Amino acid sequence: MTVRELSRLDNFSEIILPDPDREIIGGYVGDLLSWVMGRAESGNAWITIMSNVNVLAVATLADVSCVIIAEGVVLSEDVISVAKEKEINLISTSLPMFEASVKLSEALR
Amino acid sequence: MSEELVFRFTVDGEDFTSAGQASVQVKKNLRQLGLSAEVIKRVSVAMYEGEINMVIHAGGGIAEVRVCESYVEIILDDKGPGIKDIDLAMQEGYSTATDTIRSLGFGAGMGLPNMRKYTDYMTIESEVGVGTKIVMRVNC
């Protein structure tokens, strides 16, 4: 499943998708950045409620396919513009992290 | 004989928003050099953790990355407060970060353990009140 396909599911929406055809390989959920850095795998869709700019550095370094910002958390324009620059796919969902994970997992089956 | 490449960065201790820039730049550089994805990931994770540590705890410092034929070496040098108990600091989950730092998603106590996990060699020299120097290597 590509990042664009995920963004079109119910309850998910695109924030920005500079690389929409990127394939999603599994997922990872977490808010502690070091934990995510150490454990998320390349291609994972990363579900988090963190919204600061450091999320983008971690997303780049961990090479995740997209960041899914859960619980309807809103990103600032600054963060979005840095993500654009770094070509990081950002998806928003109103779902809590658990439900978002379940949906993602079902969609990846 | 091939000459080694050295990248040098000053890590700004004041600026949380730019933390990670050096690591992202290193990742780009290593990619251009054609190193394997595995090596690039390990170097950039170790370097990011080190960079964040320097911002959180040491008020910044100098990061140097040397690309040699059989390994990539990361040297992190700061003039921060030093690490009182290195064994304790190496334990997963141990952190002296403040609540403000934690609210940003840092301070999980995974920094040094991740650095060890992702590298093949790591030494820490630290003196309280003087600073800390960490050398890490990732074999190519």
Side-chain angles (χ1 to χ4, degrees):
Chain A
M1 161 177 251
T2 65
V3 171
R4 185 196 277 123
E5 285 165 344
L6 174 70
S7 75
R8 288 181 178 165
L9 296 181
D10 282 352
N11 301 110
F12 290 84
S13 63
E14 162 182 347
I15 302 174
I16 51 158
L17 298 180
D19 186 8
D21 297 321
R22 178 93 192 256
E23 193 71 24
I24 298 172
I25 308 160
Y28 194 84
V29 184
D31 300 320
L32 288 173
L33 300 181
S34 283
W35 207 274
V36 176
M37 276 289 283
R39 315 224 170 181
E41 295 187 2
S42 179
N44 280 176
W46 169 26
I47 302 174
T48 184
I49 52 164
M50 291 311 264
S51 57
N52 62 60
V53 73
N54 301 300
V55 164
L56 305 177
V58 171
T60 304
L61 294 168
D63 193 32
V64 296
S65 53
C66 63
V67 184
I68 301 170
I69 310 292
E71 308 259 12
V73 169
V74 178
L75 294 180
S76 71
E77 281 307 317
D78 289 353
V79 171
I80 294 171
S81 82
V82 175
K84 221 175 263 174
E85 206 178 286
K86 293 190 175 176
E87 301 190 349
I88 297 164
N89 294 318
L90 297 175
I91 290 173
S92 166
T93 180
S94 53
L95 298 173
M97 296 208 284
F98 175 74
E99 276 81 6
S101 309
V102 171
K103 273 226 144 183
L104 174 66
S105 164
E106 280 169 1
L108 289 175
R109 257 188 216 141
Chain B
M1 229 179 88
S2 60
E3 225 168 90
E4 64 176 35
L5 263 171
V6 182
F7 307 116
R8 210 177 142 85
F9 304 89
T10 303
V11 177
D12 184 349
E14 301 296 307
D15 192 357
F16 248 105
T17 55
S18 70
Q21 266 178 9
S23 316
V24 171
Q25 188 57 46
V26 164
K27 184 176 184 181
K28 252 186 222 160
N29 295 356
L30 297 183
R31 204 179 261 167
Q32 278 164 359
L33 290 170
L35 273 78
S36 75
E38 173 69 17
V39 169
I40 295 173
K41 166 138 193 190
R42 293 172 63 201
V43 170
S44 44
V45 169
M47 168 125 183
Y48 181 68
E49 294 290 9
E51 204 186 333
I52 293 295
N53 276 350
M54 287 200 291
V55 176
I56 294 176
H57 301 289
I62 303 288
E64 205 175 276
V65 178
R66 297 168 55 224
V67 185
C68 306
E69 206 155 308
S70 55
Y71 60 85
V72 179
E73 186 169 69
I74 306 158
I75 302 165
L76 306 166
D77 210 344
D78 71 59
K79 304 270 176 279
I83 303 168
K84 237 183 250 165
D85 184 337
I86 293 176
D87 288 338
L88 193 57
M90 285 303 300
Q91 279 178 25
E92 285 194 7
Y94 178 80
S95 175
T96 57
T98 62
D99 286 347
T100 315
I101 304 280
R102 286 170 201 262
S103 71
L104 291 169
F106 298 113
M110 292 300 291
L112 288 171
N114 269 351
M115 286 154 76
R116 170 152 290 168
K117 179 179 161 193
Y118 276 93
T119 55
D120 296 297
Y121 167 92
M122 174 169 158
T123 57
I124 306 177
E125 282 170 46
S126 188
E127 200 177 323
V128 173
V130 178
T132 301
K133 183 176 179 178
I134 295 182
V135 179
M136 296 177 280
R137 282 183 189 169
V138 173
N139 294 335
C140 293

